[in-house]
Amino acid sequence: MDQKAFKKEAAKAALAYVPKGCVLGVGTGSTTMYFIQGLKKGWVRGAVPSSKETERALRKKGIRVLDLNQAKKVSLYVDGADEVDPKLMLIKGGGGALTREKIIATAAKKFICIVDESKLVKRLGKFPVPLEVVPMARNQVAREIRKRGGRPVWRKNFITDNGGDILDVHGWKVANPIKKENELERIPGVICAGVFGKRRADLLLVGTPQGVEQFISVTGIRW
Ligand code: 5RP
């Protein structure tokens, strides 16, 4: 089996955790697309998408799309990640949807992350940290990032669903994800940092050659 097959297996395993009639938050990316493919029409009350791409995929499946402002509560959020550390803290934003992903993940009672095993790392930072920034502040934010030892690369020809720019920051070893997230999100012009430390995953499903492995974080929620 290849990486694609492991992503599919993790996505399939997540379907069993979706309560009937719930409001579901749905992430962005190829693993999440496999998850959406498996969702049955009428199973959830509605879904809150983290991107226009996900919204299109949900509508195509006949799943009712909800705006977060309409949804009283989001029971569960399901999404992929670019890196996952042993505490289930994440780097996200490879697909550029990090801001809406973080908002919905934070609003959700539970967060299941679905990945193939290539995403597991001991420490975050091999994958460049995406930052969504206000376009007129891009160079100013880039200077602030260089002062902090990072190498920001502007993701040219890419505009987020919120009209933001993305800077991918190379060269950081993220020893303390929560500290890094706070530090980055305090820089004026940064809309969102792709470090998910404060809102890490509650449950991780990993597609591996041995099957799907499960890891539970220590957030204390009941499954
Ligand atoms: C999008 C994301 C994705 O979850 C992340 O990039 C993983 O994508 P894939 O499932 O295609 O490997 O954060 O902003």
Side-chain angles (χ1 to χ4, degrees), residues 3 7 27-34 50 77 79-83 91-99 101 113-116 119 127 130 155 196:
Q3 190 189 14
K7 287 183 177 191
T28 298
S30 58
T31 318
T32 307
M33 282 297 158
Y34 295 131
S50 61
Y77 180 65
D79 198 358
D82 299 299
E83 274 186 357
I91 288 185
K92 290 187 47 54
L98 60 157
T99 302
E101 291 174 340
C113 183
I114 47 178
V115 295
D116 69 89
K119 306 290 182 73
F127 191 92
R155 212 183 283 182
F196 282 50

mmCIF file of all heavy atoms in Angstrom, residues 3 7 27-34 50 77 79-83 91-99 101 113-116 119 127 130 155 196, ligand 1:
data_model
loop_
_atom_site.group_PDB
_atom_site.id
_atom_site.type_symbol
_atom_site.label_atom_id
_atom_site.label_comp_id
_atom_site.label_asym_id
_atom_site.label_seq_id
_atom_site.Cartn_x
_atom_site.Cartn_y
_atom_site.Cartn_z
ATOM 1 N N GLN A 3 1.067 5.770 0.293
ATOM 2 C CA GLN A 3 0.623 6.855 1.179
ATOM 3 C C GLN A 3 -0.871 7.165 0.978
ATOM 4 O O GLN A 3 -1.605 7.388 1.949
ATOM 5 C CB GLN A 3 1.465 8.097 0.882
ATOM 6 C CG GLN A 3 1.274 9.191 1.886
ATOM 7 C CD GLN A 3 1.951 10.485 1.467
ATOM 8 O OE1 GLN A 3 2.349 10.661 0.317
ATOM 9 N NE2 GLN A 3 2.081 11.391 2.402
ATOM 10 N N LYS A 7 -3.844 7.062 3.774
ATOM 11 C CA LYS A 7 -4.735 8.207 4.029
ATOM 12 C C LYS A 7 -6.188 7.740 3.967
ATOM 13 O O LYS A 7 -7.008 8.099 4.809
ATOM 14 C CB LYS A 7 -4.520 9.302 2.973
ATOM 15 C CG LYS A 7 -3.237 10.083 3.121
ATOM 16 C CD LYS A 7 -3.150 11.184 2.073
ATOM 17 C CE LYS A 7 -1.890 11.999 2.276
ATOM 18 N NZ LYS A 7 -1.842 13.225 1.477
ATOM 19 N N GLY A 27 -12.492 19.472 7.602
ATOM 20 C CA GLY A 27 -11.244 20.122 7.214
ATOM 21 C C GLY A 27 -11.026 20.165 5.713
ATOM 22 O O GLY A 27 -11.968 20.013 4.919
ATOM 23 N N THR A 28 -9.762 20.343 5.343
ATOM 24 C CA THR A 28 -9.397 20.526 3.935
ATOM 25 C C THR A 28 -8.177 19.662 3.621
ATOM 26 O O THR A 28 -7.323 19.472 4.472
ATOM 27 C CB THR A 28 -9.079 22.025 3.692
ATOM 28 O OG1 THR A 28 -10.256 22.783 3.960
ATOM 29 C CG2 THR A 28 -8.630 22.289 2.263
ATOM 30 N N GLY A 29 -8.120 19.166 2.381
ATOM 31 C CA GLY A 29 -6.950 18.389 1.968
ATOM 32 C C GLY A 29 -7.354 17.035 1.417
ATOM 33 O O GLY A 29 -8.535 16.662 1.453
ATOM 34 N N SER A 30 -6.371 16.288 0.934
ATOM 35 C CA SER A 30 -6.676 15.026 0.254
ATOM 36 C C SER A 30 -7.226 13.967 1.223
ATOM 37 O O SER A 30 -8.146 13.216 0.883
ATOM 38 C CB SER A 30 -5.434 14.495 -0.467
ATOM 39 O OG SER A 30 -4.379 14.312 0.448
ATOM 40 N N THR A 31 -6.699 13.904 2.441
ATOM 41 C CA THR A 31 -7.184 12.907 3.406
ATOM 42 C C THR A 31 -8.639 13.209 3.770
ATOM 43 O O THR A 31 -9.483 12.310 3.846
ATOM 44 C CB THR A 31 -6.295 12.896 4.677
ATOM 45 O OG1 THR A 31 -4.925 13.004 4.279
ATOM 46 C CG2 THR A 31 -6.482 11.627 5.477
ATOM 47 N N THR A 32 -8.915 14.484 3.970
ATOM 48 C CA THR A 32 -10.288 14.893 4.289
ATOM 49 C C THR A 32 -11.229 14.600 3.125
ATOM 50 O O THR A 32 -12.389 14.238 3.337
ATOM 51 C CB THR A 32 -10.313 16.393 4.647
ATOM 52 O OG1 THR A 32 -9.358 16.619 5.669
ATOM 53 C CG2 THR A 32 -11.670 16.819 5.155
ATOM 54 N N MET A 33 -10.719 14.729 1.906
ATOM 55 C CA MET A 33 -11.571 14.426 0.741
ATOM 56 C C MET A 33 -11.997 12.946 0.757
ATOM 57 O O MET A 33 -13.140 12.631 0.429
ATOM 58 C CB MET A 33 -10.836 14.731 -0.570
ATOM 59 C CG MET A 33 -10.806 16.199 -0.889
ATOM 60 S SD MET A 33 -12.468 16.878 -1.147
ATOM 61 C CE MET A 33 -12.165 18.605 -0.838
ATOM 62 N N TYR A 34 -11.087 12.070 1.163
ATOM 63 C CA TYR A 34 -11.458 10.642 1.269
ATOM 64 C C TYR A 34 -12.547 10.459 2.329
ATOM 65 O O TYR A 34 -13.460 9.653 2.174
ATOM 66 C CB TYR A 34 -10.247 9.774 1.630
ATOM 67 C CG TYR A 34 -9.169 9.751 0.573
ATOM 68 C CD1 TYR A 34 -7.832 9.979 0.894
ATOM 69 C CD2 TYR A 34 -9.471 9.493 -0.761
ATOM 70 C CE1 TYR A 34 -6.837 9.965 -0.073
ATOM 71 C CE2 TYR A 34 -8.483 9.478 -1.738
ATOM 72 C CZ TYR A 34 -7.177 9.715 -1.379
ATOM 73 O OH TYR A 34 -6.197 9.699 -2.342
ATOM 74 N N SER A 50 -14.264 23.973 6.110
ATOM 75 C CA SER A 50 -13.146 24.873 6.422
ATOM 76 C C SER A 50 -12.592 25.557 5.172
ATOM 77 O O SER A 50 -11.607 26.291 5.263
ATOM 78 C CB SER A 50 -12.034 24.088 7.117
ATOM 79 O OG SER A 50 -11.575 23.070 6.252
ATOM 80 N N TYR A 77 -14.913 17.737 14.836
ATOM 81 C CA TYR A 77 -14.169 18.276 13.687
ATOM 82 C C TYR A 77 -13.209 17.193 13.195
ATOM 83 O O TYR A 77 -12.509 16.568 13.997
ATOM 84 C CB TYR A 77 -13.381 19.520 14.119
ATOM 85 C CG TYR A 77 -12.579 20.144 13.004
ATOM 86 C CD1 TYR A 77 -13.214 20.698 11.900
ATOM 87 C CD2 TYR A 77 -11.183 20.178 13.032
ATOM 88 C CE1 TYR A 77 -12.493 21.273 10.863
ATOM 89 C CE2 TYR A 77 -10.454 20.759 12.006
ATOM 90 C CZ TYR A 77 -11.119 21.303 10.928
ATOM 91 O OH TYR A 77 -10.401 21.866 9.896
ATOM 92 N N ASP A 79 -10.132 16.391 10.383
ATOM 93 C CA ASP A 79 -9.214 17.042 9.439
ATOM 94 C C ASP A 79 -7.870 16.307 9.397
ATOM 95 O O ASP A 79 -7.522 15.570 10.331
ATOM 96 C CB ASP A 79 -8.984 18.501 9.888
ATOM 97 C CG ASP A 79 -8.424 19.386 8.771
ATOM 98 O OD1 ASP A 79 -8.170 18.880 7.659
ATOM 99 O OD2 ASP A 79 -8.244 20.594 9.023
ATOM 100 N N GLY A 80 -7.133 16.532 8.330
ATOM 101 C CA GLY A 80 -5.773 15.999 8.195
ATOM 102 C C GLY A 80 -4.768 16.941 8.836
ATOM 103 O O GLY A 80 -5.135 17.880 9.543
ATOM 104 N N ALA A 81 -3.487 16.681 8.577
ATOM 105 C CA ALA A 81 -2.429 17.556 9.097
ATOM 106 C C ALA A 81 -1.172 17.345 8.266
ATOM 107 O O ALA A 81 -1.042 16.343 7.551
ATOM 108 C CB ALA A 81 -2.145 17.237 10.562
ATOM 109 N N ASP A 82 -0.255 18.290 8.383
ATOM 110 C CA ASP A 82 1.024 18.167 7.686
ATOM 111 C C ASP A 82 2.081 17.517 8.571
ATOM 112 O O ASP A 82 2.973 16.836 8.083
ATOM 113 C CB ASP A 82 1.487 19.553 7.218
ATOM 114 C CG ASP A 82 0.482 20.153 6.253
ATOM 115 O OD1 ASP A 82 0.265 19.551 5.200
ATOM 116 O OD2 ASP A 82 -0.123 21.194 6.582
ATOM 117 N N GLU A 83 1.975 17.760 9.882
ATOM 118 C CA GLU A 83 2.853 17.090 10.854
ATOM 119 C C GLU A 83 2.090 16.893 12.159
ATOM 120 O O GLU A 83 1.272 17.742 12.526
ATOM 121 C CB GLU A 83 4.092 17.948 11.166
ATOM 122 C CG GLU A 83 5.231 17.767 10.202
ATOM 123 C CD GLU A 83 6.506 18.510 10.611
ATOM 124 O OE1 GLU A 83 6.520 19.239 11.640
ATOM 125 O OE2 GLU A 83 7.490 18.367 9.883
ATOM 126 N N ILE A 91 1.184 20.713 12.779
ATOM 127 C CA ILE A 91 1.369 21.797 11.802
ATOM 128 C C ILE A 91 0.326 21.562 10.732
ATOM 129 O O ILE A 91 0.159 20.438 10.238
ATOM 130 C CB ILE A 91 2.786 21.819 11.188
ATOM 131 C CG1 ILE A 91 3.789 22.310 12.234
ATOM 132 C CG2 ILE A 91 2.812 22.758 9.963
ATOM 133 C CD1 ILE A 91 5.197 22.487 11.716
ATOM 134 N N LYS A 92 -0.409 22.626 10.410
ATOM 135 C CA LYS A 92 -1.437 22.559 9.377
ATOM 136 C C LYS A 92 -1.339 23.792 8.479
ATOM 137 O O LYS A 92 -0.729 24.781 8.841
ATOM 138 C CB LYS A 92 -2.831 22.504 10.013
ATOM 139 C CG LYS A 92 -3.086 21.171 10.701
ATOM 140 C CD LYS A 92 -4.525 21.018 11.183
ATOM 141 C CE LYS A 92 -5.564 21.377 10.209
ATOM 142 N NZ LYS A 92 -5.465 20.683 8.915
ATOM 143 N N GLY A 93 -1.970 23.681 7.319
ATOM 144 C CA GLY A 93 -1.992 24.839 6.425
ATOM 145 C C GLY A 93 -1.314 24.588 5.095
ATOM 146 O O GLY A 93 -1.186 25.494 4.280
ATOM 147 N N GLY A 94 -0.900 23.331 4.878
ATOM 148 C CA GLY A 94 -0.317 22.980 3.570
ATOM 149 C C GLY A 94 -1.275 23.337 2.436
ATOM 150 O O GLY A 94 -0.852 23.734 1.350
ATOM 151 N N GLY A 95 -2.563 23.225 2.721
ATOM 152 C CA GLY A 95 -3.579 23.566 1.720
ATOM 153 C C GLY A 95 -4.049 25.010 1.821
ATOM 154 O O GLY A 95 -4.932 25.436 1.068
ATOM 155 N N GLY A 96 -3.495 25.745 2.777
ATOM 156 C CA GLY A 96 -3.796 27.169 2.901
ATOM 157 C C GLY A 96 -5.092 27.498 3.623
ATOM 158 O O GLY A 96 -5.509 28.649 3.650
ATOM 159 N N ALA A 97 -5.709 26.495 4.254
ATOM 160 C CA ALA A 97 -7.012 26.734 4.898
ATOM 161 C C ALA A 97 -6.889 26.858 6.414
ATOM 162 O O ALA A 97 -7.872 26.707 7.145
ATOM 163 C CB ALA A 97 -7.975 25.608 4.530
ATOM 164 N N LEU A 98 -5.666 27.137 6.894
ATOM 165 C CA LEU A 98 -5.394 27.044 8.329
ATOM 166 C C LEU A 98 -6.284 27.896 9.232
ATOM 167 O O LEU A 98 -6.679 27.456 10.316
ATOM 168 C CB LEU A 98 -3.921 27.348 8.600
ATOM 169 C CG LEU A 98 -3.384 28.723 8.199
ATOM 170 C CD1 LEU A 98 -2.155 29.053 8.997
ATOM 171 C CD2 LEU A 98 -3.018 28.765 6.730
ATOM 172 N N THR A 99 -6.639 29.102 8.778
ATOM 173 C CA THR A 99 -7.406 29.993 9.664
ATOM 174 C C THR A 99 -8.789 29.415 9.945
ATOM 175 O O THR A 99 -9.204 29.293 11.106
ATOM 176 C CB THR A 99 -7.527 31.397 9.044
ATOM 177 O OG1 THR A 99 -6.207 31.889 8.816
ATOM 178 C CG2 THR A 99 -8.277 32.347 9.957
ATOM 179 N N GLU A 101 -9.665 26.399 9.504
ATOM 180 C CA GLU A 101 -9.482 25.103 10.185
ATOM 181 C C GLU A 101 -9.322 25.315 11.691
ATOM 182 O O GLU A 101 -9.931 24.611 12.498
ATOM 183 C CB GLU A 101 -8.252 24.381 9.615
ATOM 184 C CG GLU A 101 -8.466 23.923 8.185
ATOM 185 C CD GLU A 101 -7.232 23.328 7.520
ATOM 186 O OE1 GLU A 101 -6.101 23.583 7.977
ATOM 187 O OE2 GLU A 101 -7.397 22.615 6.535
ATOM 188 N N CYS A 113 -7.951 13.839 14.137
ATOM 189 C CA CYS A 113 -6.997 14.105 13.060
ATOM 190 C C CYS A 113 -6.699 12.797 12.316
ATOM 191 O O CYS A 113 -6.472 11.753 12.952
ATOM 192 C CB CYS A 113 -5.720 14.692 13.664
ATOM 193 S SG CYS A 113 -4.506 15.153 12.431
ATOM 194 N N ILE A 114 -6.718 12.866 10.996
ATOM 195 C CA ILE A 114 -6.521 11.661 10.180
ATOM 196 C C ILE A 114 -5.299 11.864 9.281
ATOM 197 O O ILE A 114 -5.234 12.824 8.506
ATOM 198 C CB ILE A 114 -7.788 11.339 9.339
ATOM 199 C CG1 ILE A 114 -8.336 12.588 8.639
ATOM 200 C CG2 ILE A 114 -8.867 10.730 10.230
ATOM 201 C CD1 ILE A 114 -9.563 12.329 7.751
ATOM 202 N N VAL A 115 -4.334 10.962 9.416
ATOM 203 C CA VAL A 115 -3.085 11.096 8.647
ATOM 204 C C VAL A 115 -2.562 9.719 8.242
ATOM 205 O O VAL A 115 -2.964 8.702 8.795
ATOM 206 C CB VAL A 115 -1.975 11.802 9.472
ATOM 207 C CG1 VAL A 115 -2.328 13.241 9.790
ATOM 208 C CG2 VAL A 115 -1.670 11.038 10.754
ATOM 209 N N ASP A 116 -1.632 9.735 7.299
ATOM 210 C CA ASP A 116 -0.830 8.529 7.059
ATOM 211 C C ASP A 116 0.431 8.671 7.905
ATOM 212 O O ASP A 116 0.746 9.772 8.374
ATOM 213 C CB ASP A 116 -0.494 8.402 5.569
ATOM 214 C CG ASP A 116 0.464 9.484 5.132
ATOM 215 O OD1 ASP A 116 1.680 9.263 5.226
ATOM 216 O OD2 ASP A 116 0.009 10.584 4.748
ATOM 217 N N LYS A 119 3.337 11.483 8.381
ATOM 218 C CA LYS A 119 3.138 12.793 9.014
ATOM 219 C C LYS A 119 3.624 12.825 10.475
ATOM 220 O O LYS A 119 3.633 13.875 11.096
ATOM 221 C CB LYS A 119 1.646 13.169 8.986
ATOM 222 C CG LYS A 119 0.986 13.138 7.617
ATOM 223 C CD LYS A 119 1.475 14.243 6.732
ATOM 224 C CE LYS A 119 0.828 14.294 5.369
ATOM 225 N NZ LYS A 119 -0.520 14.764 5.338
ATOM 226 N N PHE A 127 8.329 20.346 8.322
ATOM 227 C CA PHE A 127 7.394 20.955 7.371
ATOM 228 C C PHE A 127 7.365 22.458 7.688
ATOM 229 O O PHE A 127 7.226 22.840 8.845
ATOM 230 C CB PHE A 127 5.995 20.339 7.540
ATOM 231 C CG PHE A 127 5.045 20.701 6.448
ATOM 232 C CD1 PHE A 127 4.918 19.893 5.328
ATOM 233 C CD2 PHE A 127 4.284 21.866 6.520
ATOM 234 C CE1 PHE A 127 4.044 20.228 4.292
ATOM 235 C CE2 PHE A 127 3.414 22.212 5.494
ATOM 236 C CZ PHE A 127 3.293 21.386 4.382
ATOM 237 N N PRO A 130 3.136 27.336 7.982
ATOM 238 C CA PRO A 130 2.385 28.321 7.201
ATOM 239 C C PRO A 130 1.832 29.427 8.108
ATOM 240 O O PRO A 130 1.373 29.163 9.214
ATOM 241 C CB PRO A 130 1.220 27.503 6.601
ATOM 242 C CG PRO A 130 1.588 26.065 6.822
ATOM 243 C CD PRO A 130 2.419 26.058 8.065
ATOM 244 N N ARG A 155 4.029 32.290 -0.609
ATOM 245 C CA ARG A 155 3.355 31.335 -1.508
ATOM 246 C C ARG A 155 2.687 32.156 -2.625
ATOM 247 O O ARG A 155 1.545 32.581 -2.493
ATOM 248 C CB ARG A 155 2.322 30.517 -0.734
ATOM 249 C CG ARG A 155 2.163 29.105 -1.270
ATOM 250 C CD ARG A 155 1.091 28.337 -0.529
ATOM 251 N NE ARG A 155 1.455 27.832 0.776
ATOM 252 C CZ ARG A 155 0.638 27.104 1.549
ATOM 253 N NH1 ARG A 155 -0.574 26.801 1.122
ATOM 254 N NH2 ARG A 155 1.029 26.678 2.742
ATOM 255 N N PHE A 196 -0.800 24.208 15.601
ATOM 256 C CA PHE A 196 -2.001 23.912 16.401
ATOM 257 C C PHE A 196 -1.540 23.289 17.718
ATOM 258 O O PHE A 196 -1.475 22.060 17.854
ATOM 259 C CB PHE A 196 -2.918 22.938 15.649
ATOM 260 C CG PHE A 196 -3.744 23.566 14.542
ATOM 261 C CD1 PHE A 196 -3.157 24.365 13.575
ATOM 262 C CD2 PHE A 196 -5.105 23.335 14.458
ATOM 263 C CE1 PHE A 196 -3.912 24.945 12.545
ATOM 264 C CE2 PHE A 196 -5.882 23.895 13.447
ATOM 265 C CZ PHE A 196 -5.285 24.708 12.492
HETATM 266 C C1 5RP B 1 -4.935 22.142 4.716
HETATM 267 C C2 5RP B 1 -4.329 21.239 5.712
HETATM 268 C C3 5RP B 1 -4.313 19.770 5.408
HETATM 269 O O1 5RP B 1 -4.977 19.109 6.417
HETATM 270 C C4 5RP B 1 -2.885 19.298 5.330
HETATM 271 O O2 5RP B 1 -2.208 20.051 4.348
HETATM 272 C C5 5RP B 1 -2.821 17.805 4.971
HETATM 273 O O3 5RP B 1 -3.241 17.600 3.677
HETATM 274 P P1 5RP B 1 -3.344 16.156 3.019
HETATM 275 O O4 5RP B 1 -4.469 15.439 3.701
HETATM 276 O O5 5RP B 1 -3.624 16.445 1.564
HETATM 277 O O6 5RP B 1 -2.028 15.456 3.218
HETATM 278 O O7 5RP B 1 -3.870 21.647 6.746
HETATM 279 O O8 5RP B 1 -4.794 23.499 5.052
#
